[in-house]
Amino acid sequence: MSQPPPPPSQPPQQPGFGPPQEPSEPQTPAPSAPATPPTPPAQPPQQPPAGPDLNKAPQPQPGYGYPQAPGTPPPAAPPTPPQGPGYGYPQQQPAGYGYPAQQPGPYGRPGPYGQPQQPGPYGQQPPYGYAQPTVPMQAQAGQPGGGRKVNAQVAIIVSAVVAIALIVGGGVWYANSSGKDDDKQTTAEGGDTKGGEGDGKEGGSGDGGATTGEAEEKAPAATGSKVLFQVPSPEVPKGVTTISIAGSWLTDSVYAKSGLSEITGYDRRSGTKKWTLDLPGPVCAATPHVTEDNKTAIVHKPAMPSKTDPQACTEVAVVDLAAGSKVWTKTAKSGTMPVSFNNVTIGGGTVAAGSTSGGAAWDLATGDERWAPKTSDSCYDAGYGGGAKLVAVRKCGSYDQRQLHIQNVDPKTGDVLAEYKMDEGIEYAAVVSTDPLVVAADVGDSAGDGSGISDFFSIDNKTGKLRARLSAPGDEFAARCDAIYKVENCTGVTVGNDRLYIATEEHDSGGDSYSQTNEVVAFDLATGKQTGQRADAGENYEIFPLRMDGPDVIAYKRPPYDKGGQVVSIDGESFKETVLMENPSTEAVRDVESRMSPDYSEIQFGQGGLYMSSVYASDFTSREKEHSVIAFGTE
């Protein structure tokens, strides 16, 4: 049974869940029954700490994580994820959009792309600190756990999938170009948008990794936006509480978004449907990467799940976002069993998907297999980071002596080009960027806030040597990574200019008021130290870096209850902020925007358009009309 969502006026809560337990010997588990979620921790104090200490000296790091018991299957129904509108929002009765009570991701957050997650109670929480740098290791091709063309555990471990009950069909409502079916009060027409001027740069754009070219996003003459279109949430079939609708992409002409069992391409300005790609089942995972010729990759189920057959995430597909068609669909096996994949990415002309059964890869253009799980391998690729390069997060060793290998691999062959071995006891790692290579991890479960991050590791992807280790205590920094399954899914952080840009936690803005704020600060990836650069959110705003734009940072500012959100460009050197967009402050528009939390939604910005979408469709009949997408644009 699902629980009703928390009221939209509440800020996100952070249950302190820990890493899941893993079996010591491979086995093929049957789908498990929903588990009782752990009790969330106590509410945080009313007055948050006043921001990160930029001059804090490193502290000794306590021991690494506790061992997990073998043979424990993952629970199938994690706890209710948090939600909340803009900061400073007045208290209201529970109403409006809420995040679903089923299928959230690890650490109490919704699991992007619909994968079931594996929460578990934390052990003791040691105080955060800055441990001694891990000794870097050179690439060891041909060594156990080092070189490989194929990889997997000894036998398959098929991840248990949450059963979605009584699916009998269901329609999807779409916005049209005229907005006739939308509530007129949720449009920006007649709203009090504010115009402004700013300096913009144009040219090539960066991708969050190595910085090239100049900034592309340019401030318009008037920065006030209007609602371009909205997409009502899909109607969930009777008897079903929650279905994943994760996955969204932006091209020059199309905004594409996943539905119940399809992907729809909308005109970026009007919202008119340009195409619909039908799928046999829901999208489980999707890469945010889009190639120059508008290709992307997804993992989906082979059929709609039912109470008796939840369906595994076995189908890997490449989608042409320009044509609205599948290029190819492939599966992989570990021994004789099909692999259920947790994540997928694109890098170097290769589509790679990872799982607890191992990783597989295919040629992006042809679908020809490049490698697949090998049952004789004692290690397995849990996931991959893509983009400029292809990086594998490879797990080796038994459950009580787990070691992660961060491998820069040849995307054509899978050969290891460089490798960094993390200290034993670090159970999970997320790839923030592949070039420069930056990995995030919660060392010794010391983050303490459910973010999945206590430290970042800057690694030379040519030699495998550790360049620097960046301490990012969870009580000071607001970035989040889903390192358990979605290896490249991180929010509140981006990389460029050989620096890491990260949001701080919300804190008192100072003075006698009760207002809150936060900042974006920068770390040097060569030294691991903060550069002293800081971009302030402003009173009762909260700022989140989204991506790089050449040397500049594109960030979204979540607003207070009485204003619209903003998109700003932060100059990579001066840290001067330029407003690119300011959304309407009318109540109806704010109500939709405030439900799209940057931590638990998908946010795309490009060419003067802001697209915000939810990752779940839910059946809460007592609530008012919900939207899965809201799009804003300037003139």
Side-chain angles (χ1 to χ4, degrees):
M1 296 291 292
S2 63
Q3 299 178 357
S9 57
Q10 299 297 324
Q13 308 301 320
Q14 306 301 337
F17 304 119
Q21 297 176 340
E22 296 186 89
S24 57
E25 294 296 332
Q27 53 185 304
T28 305
S32 58
T36 302
T39 303
Q43 295 290 332
Q46 293 300 315
Q47 298 297 331
D53 183 354
L54 306 185
N55 299 309
K56 181 173 290 183
Q59 301 294 326
Q61 178 69 39
Y64 291 132
Y66 57 89
Q68 306 292 328
T72 304
T80 302
Q83 82 150 38
Y87 296 88
Y89 204 94
Q91 299 297 315
Q92 297 178 348
Q93 294 299 320
Y97 184 85
Y99 293 98
Q102 294 183 351
Q103 299 181 344
Y107 316 115
R109 62 177 294 189
Y113 311 131
Q115 278 297 96
Q117 308 294 340
Q118 305 179 11
Y122 270 113
Q124 283 189 329
Q125 299 295 335
Y128 82 85
Y130 188 79
Q132 296 298 318
T134 306
V135 178
M137 303 294 293
Q138 298 291 337
Q140 300 176 2
Q143 298 293 328
R148 61 89 180 59
K149 291 188 179 181
V150 293
N151 39 41
Q153 288 177 302
V154 176
I156 182 159
I157 301 176
V158 179
S159 299
V161 182
V162 175
I164 301 178
L166 301 177
I167 293 185
V168 294
V172 180
W173 302 333
Y174 295 102
N176 56 33
S177 59
S178 63
K180 292 179 181 179
D181 295 330
D182 285 340
D183 182 351
K184 292 299 183 180
Q185 292 183 346
T186 64
T187 68
E189 295 178 2
D192 54 342
T193 60
K194 297 180 180 180
E197 294 184 358
D199 297 326
K201 299 177 182 179
E202 54 187 352
S205 63
D207 61 359
T211 302
T212 58
E214 297 181 354
E216 189 175 60
E217 302 298 341
K218 186 176 182 180
T223 57
S225 72
K226 66 177 182 179
V227 175
L228 299 177
F229 63 92
Q230 298 169 84
V231 179
S233 290
E235 184 178 355
V236 176
K238 184 178 180 181
V240 176
T241 301
T242 302
I243 288 184
S244 168
I245 55 170
S248 60
W249 306 268
L250 202 57
T251 73
D252 288 341
S253 60
V254 170
Y255 170 74
K257 173 64 184 169
S258 295
L260 292 184
S261 59
E262 71 283 311
I263 300 173
T264 301
Y266 302 92
D267 182 274
R268 288 184 49 150
R269 296 295 297 182
S270 68
T272 303
K273 286 191 291 183
K274 301 187 74 171
W275 51 259
T276 297
L277 172 62
D278 292 326
L279 301 171
V283 173
C284 305
T287 179
H289 299 297
V290 178
T291 65
E292 291 184 359
D293 60 348
N294 297 320
K295 304 294 194 306
T296 192
I298 63 171
V299 175
H300 66 83
K301 296 186 176 185
M304 289 297 290
S306 67
K307 185 175 182 179
T308 58
D309 187 359
Q311 297 291 329
C313 301
T314 57
E315 314 298 300
V316 178
V318 166
V319 176
D320 186 328
L321 297 172
S325 61
K326 273 190 184 181
V327 179
W328 51 256
T329 302
K330 299 292 180 179
T331 60
K333 290 184 177 181
S334 178
T336 60
M337 298 295 293
V339 176
S340 182
F341 292 105
N342 300 320
N343 55 75
V344 66
T345 194
I346 295 175
T350 292
V351 175
S355 76
T356 55
S357 301
W362 302 266
D363 182 275
L364 173 63
T366 65
D368 292 341
E369 185 178 281
R370 287 186 166 167
W371 63 83
K374 186 177 181 181
T375 55
S376 62
D377 204 335
S378 61
C379 303
Y380 67 93
D381 286 2
Y384 300 91
K389 297 183 181 298
L390 187 63
V391 172
V393 176
R394 188 163 173 81
K395 287 193 174 186
C396 295
S398 60
Y399 76 94
D400 57 346
Q401 291 182 315
R402 181 76 71 210
Q403 187 173 39
L404 297 183
H405 298 212
I406 308 302
Q407 299 177 331
N408 180 19
V409 301
D410 186 321
K412 300 293 191 296
T413 65
D415 291 337
V416 177
L417 304 177
E419 179 180 66
Y420 172 72
K421 294 181 181 178
M422 304 190 80
D423 281 357
E424 290 186 5
I426 300 178
E427 293 287 330
Y428 306 98
V431 179
V432 182
S433 169
T434 60
D435 187 23
L437 178 53
V438 180
V439 173
D442 186 358
V443 179
D445 299 327
S446 60
D449 65 341
S451 66
I453 304 172
S454 67
D455 296 83
F456 292 92
F457 297 79
S458 173
I459 302 167
D460 189 313
N461 54 23
K462 294 182 179 179
T463 66
K465 292 183 178 181
L466 181 70
R467 301 176 64 202
R469 181 167 170 177
L470 293 62
S471 179
D475 61 347
E476 295 184 4
F477 297 95
R480 294 179 171 276
C481 289
D482 180 358
I484 293 180
Y485 282 128
K486 305 298 182 274
V487 168
E488 64 177 358
N489 182 59
C490 295
T491 61
V493 62
T494 192
V495 172
N497 304 320
D498 207 34
R499 295 169 185 167
L500 180 140
Y501 301 96
I502 183 172
T504 68
E505 286 285 1
E506 188 189 20
H507 57 82
D508 288 341
S509 58
D512 297 330
S513 70
Y514 292 95
S515 62
Q516 304 286 296
T517 191
N518 80 319
E519 302 81 27
V520 169
V521 297
F523 283 85
D524 189 308
L525 292 176
T527 66
K529 298 179 180 179
Q530 291 194 33
T531 65
Q533 297 166 307
R534 186 177 81 171
D536 296 316
E539 187 172 350
N540 280 328
Y541 284 87
E542 188 175 18
I543 190 169
F544 295 83
L546 298 178
R547 64 174 177 86
M548 297 301 298
D549 176 29
D552 299 343
V553 179
I554 300 297
Y556 172 73
K557 286 188 177 182
R558 197 174 191 205
Y561 76 95
D562 58 347
K563 295 181 181 179
Q566 294 181 352
V567 177
V568 299
S569 177
I570 304 171
D571 187 279
E573 292 301 325
S574 69
F575 255 47
K576 176 186 176 182
E577 295 181 43
T578 300
V579 176
L580 302 178
M581 174 181 291
E582 184 166 5
N583 294 334
S585 61
T586 54
E587 182 178 359
V589 175
R590 295 196 322 261
D591 183 58
V592 178
E593 181 180 4
S594 67
R595 295 165 186 168
M596 304 294 183
S597 165
D599 273 334
Y600 313 112
S601 302
E602 296 169 342
I603 300 180
Q604 307 274 357
F605 179 82
Q607 300 177 21
L610 174 67
Y611 305 83
M612 310 177 75
S613 65
S614 56
V615 295
Y616 284 93
S618 304
D619 180 24
F620 293 101
T621 56
S622 62
R623 295 205 308 245
E624 297 179 357
K625 187 176 181 180
E626 301 169 10
H627 293 82
S628 63
V629 175
I630 185 168
F632 299 92
T634 55
E635 295 297 339

